[in-house]
């Protein structure tokens, strides 16, 4: 099994982690531990939110760059690590 | 001095905090500890990023709501706490 899938499965086993996705910044889906619908939902929104956050960081300082994004809601925490043309998305139960 | 300004000044004194702003979700400026230009820069971008994050949370689950947003860059961490028609924005040095 690919090293990437190993890593996803390992992250997926952390306490409270509901799932993880590797998406392209273009919204393409590369790897996921979630069902198709949820994967589609997150992948259709997270990359554009990440792009807006990166744009804000660079507007404020072109020498700076986005490293991580956390979206905390009442039920979940969505953690986003952008890397080149990809984003790693980890969804965690807010209560954990 | 107003209770709100007290709170801002107290947050502003935390180690590594570069400044804090209370803005309206409409981009209006209510209180700030930063200079005018920086305040304008953050206030012109953070509310729309926050709105997009809230929209994502609600699209995924209408019973859910955004509680907190963290934008971590190489140099800073921007923390955003939305509350009704306002957002509290705290900018912290990433190294602290």
């Amino acid at each position: 099994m690919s090293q990437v899938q190993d890593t996803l499965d390992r992250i997926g086993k952390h306490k409270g982690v509901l799932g993880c996705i590797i998406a392209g910044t273009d919204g393409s889906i590369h790897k996921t531990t979630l069902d198709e619908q949820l994967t589609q939902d997150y992948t259709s929104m997270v990359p554009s939110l990440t792009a807006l956050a990166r744009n804000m960081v660079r507007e404020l300082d072109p020498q700076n760059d986005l490293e991580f994004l956390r979206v905390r809601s009442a039920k979940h925490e969505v953690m986003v690590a952008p890397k080149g043309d990809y984003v790693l998305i980890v969804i965690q139960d807010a209560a954990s």
Side-chain angles (χ1 to χ4, degrees), chain A:
Chain A
M1 204 191 296
S2 80
Q3 203 186 352
V4 172
Q5 192 64 53
D6 279 356
T7 306
L8 275 194
D9 292 342
R10 204 159 30 81
I11 294 172
K13 287 193 184 94
H14 274 266
K15 186 174 168 285
V17 170
L18 304 174
C20 30
I21 304 167
I22 292 180
T25 49
D26 59 0
S28 52
I29 299 166
H30 293 267
K31 294 277 179 190
T32 182
T33 63
L34 289 168
D35 64 55
E36 198 177 328
Q37 184 56 54
L38 259 181
T39 300
Q40 192 58 48
D41 291 345
Y42 278 103
T43 308
S44 65
M45 291 187 277
V46 169
S48 46
L49 180 67
T50 309
L52 190 63
R54 170 178 274 161
N55 179 56
M56 179 180 94
V57 167
R58 288 193 170 166
E59 281 277 328
L60 289 161
D61 176 357
Q63 310 303 317
N64 199 0
D65 201 358
L66 179 69
E67 290 191 345
F68 203 74
L69 186 61
R70 279 174 182 261
V71 180
R72 172 83 185 214
S73 65
K75 296 183 181 180
H76 303 127
E77 181 143 32
V78 179
M79 294 171 276
V80 184
K83 190 76 180 170
D85 294 333
Y86 299 94
V87 280
L88 169 64
I89 306 165
V90 177
I91 301 105
Q92 185 162 293
D93 184 346
S96 70

